Amino acid sequence: QKEVEQDPGPLSVPEGAIVSLNCTYSNSAFQYFMWYRQYSRKGPELLMYTYSSGNKEDGRFTAQVDKSSKYISLFIRDSQPSDSATYLCAMRGSGNTPLVFGKGTRLSVIA
Amino acid sequence: GAVVSQHPSWVICKSGTSVKIECRSLDFQATTMFWYRQFPKQSLMLMATSNEGSKATYEQGVEKDKFLINHASLTLSTLTVTSAHPEDSSFYICSAVGRGTNQPQHFGDGTRLSIL
């Protein structure tokens, strides 16, 4: 079993839809959870950064972490064509330990 | 804030040459920098971790004599691909973490390396 599992998609939705992306993980030592957005031929851009369980909202984006289920989610409301990208979940334990990434989900928002 | 600049963005060179890639944190001091490699449609693969003023820690399977990392200051790390060959062609991305506990990683825009 891989440490972090993420459905690679592709996921295609119409403009305005609510998008749900998620990852599962196996290492209970993970405490910090991130979502990155990566456009083609660009580096990952940090979208959300959360610690432990709970919800965090930033504009159209909401991140959820459920440590008891080892499950994290990213919701995108009112999706736009400009949201079309690959979304990577990432997580780590305490300190500046390396991130463990999911494989990324390719999202296409169709106008 | 938290901008990481990577240069060059794209380089094409002949087999056997060495290529240096720079990674700079523009508006913060980076105590730790990471170097990743990414193949098309795949996730990031960690190559090495570098802390300012100390030797880099390489992941298993990454040749330290092939991929030289220098973290000379709190704002600059370099990756040199020595005697590059076509199989070294890839997308290389750096990230940096600022001072303080449990800061997030911020990534550069990557360098596309093509070895002919």
Side-chain angles (χ1 to χ4, degrees):
Chain A
Q1 181 188 11
K2 294 184 178 178
E3 274 197 296
V4 178
E5 299 274 5
Q6 182 177 10
D7 187 339
L11 178 63
S12 183
V13 301
E15 183 177 359
I18 297 175
V19 176
S20 173
L21 306 168
N22 52 74
C23 292
T24 59
Y25 63 96
S26 58
N27 189 341
S28 57
F30 289 146
Q31 297 182 39
Y32 296 88
F33 304 90
M34 283 137 275
W35 285 96
Y36 288 89
R37 176 175 62 194
Q38 186 176 24
Y39 291 112
S40 181
R41 301 177 184 178
K42 291 287 189 180
E45 172 192 3
L46 180 66
L47 287 176
M48 302 292 279
Y49 179 54
T50 54
Y51 170 69
S52 196
S53 287
N55 294 357
K56 184 175 183 179
E57 187 174 322
D58 184 0
R60 296 185 295 112
F61 299 93
T62 299
Q64 289 185 350
V65 174
D66 182 348
K67 289 191 70 179
S68 62
S69 302
K70 296 189 178 67
Y71 186 90
I72 70 170
S73 300
L74 177 71
F75 297 96
I76 307 174
R77 290 183 298 280
D78 188 25
S79 56
Q80 304 294 310
S82 58
D83 295 327
S84 299
T86 296
Y87 289 80
L88 296 155
C89 65
M91 50 200 77
R92 62 171 173 81
S94 60
N96 283 338
T97 51
L99 292 175
V100 180
F101 284 90
K103 284 195 168 185
T105 300
R106 296 184 69 188
L107 171 67
S108 293
V109 181
I110 310 300
Chain B
V3 177
V4 176
S5 174
Q6 196 170 334
H7 178 81
S9 58
W10 195 3
V11 58
I12 303 173
C13 59
K14 293 181 179 180
S15 183
T17 58
S18 293
V19 179
K20 180 184 281 189
I21 302 169
E22 290 188 351
C23 179
R24 295 182 184 271
S25 56
L26 296 186
D27 53 0
F28 66 101
Q29 292 185 325
T31 53
T32 305
M33 287 186 170
F34 301 89
W35 287 95
Y36 295 85
R37 185 172 179 176
Q38 187 176 34
F39 292 103
K41 298 185 180 180
Q42 294 192 24
S43 192
L44 286 77
M45 182 185 78
L46 180 65
M47 298 175 67
T49 302
S50 75
N51 294 295
E52 186 265 340
S54 60
K55 289 185 178 180
T57 302
Y58 290 81
E59 295 299 300
Q60 192 172 9
V62 178
E63 299 176 59
K64 62 180 180 181
D65 295 330
K66 174 76 169 177
F67 299 99
L68 300 178
I69 292 171
N70 186 347
H71 194 157
S73 74
L74 283 171
T75 59
L76 174 65
S77 177
T78 59
L79 167 68
T80 301
V81 184
T82 61
S83 186
H85 289 93
E87 59 267 27
D88 298 322
S89 299
S90 190
F91 191 52
Y92 292 88
I93 312 174
C94 71
S95 71
V97 180
R99 289 185 180 277
T101 55
N102 301 312
Q103 297 296 308
Q105 282 188 35
H106 296 279
F107 286 82
D109 261 346
T111 296
R112 172 173 291 187
L113 176 62
S114 297
I115 309 298
L116 304 178

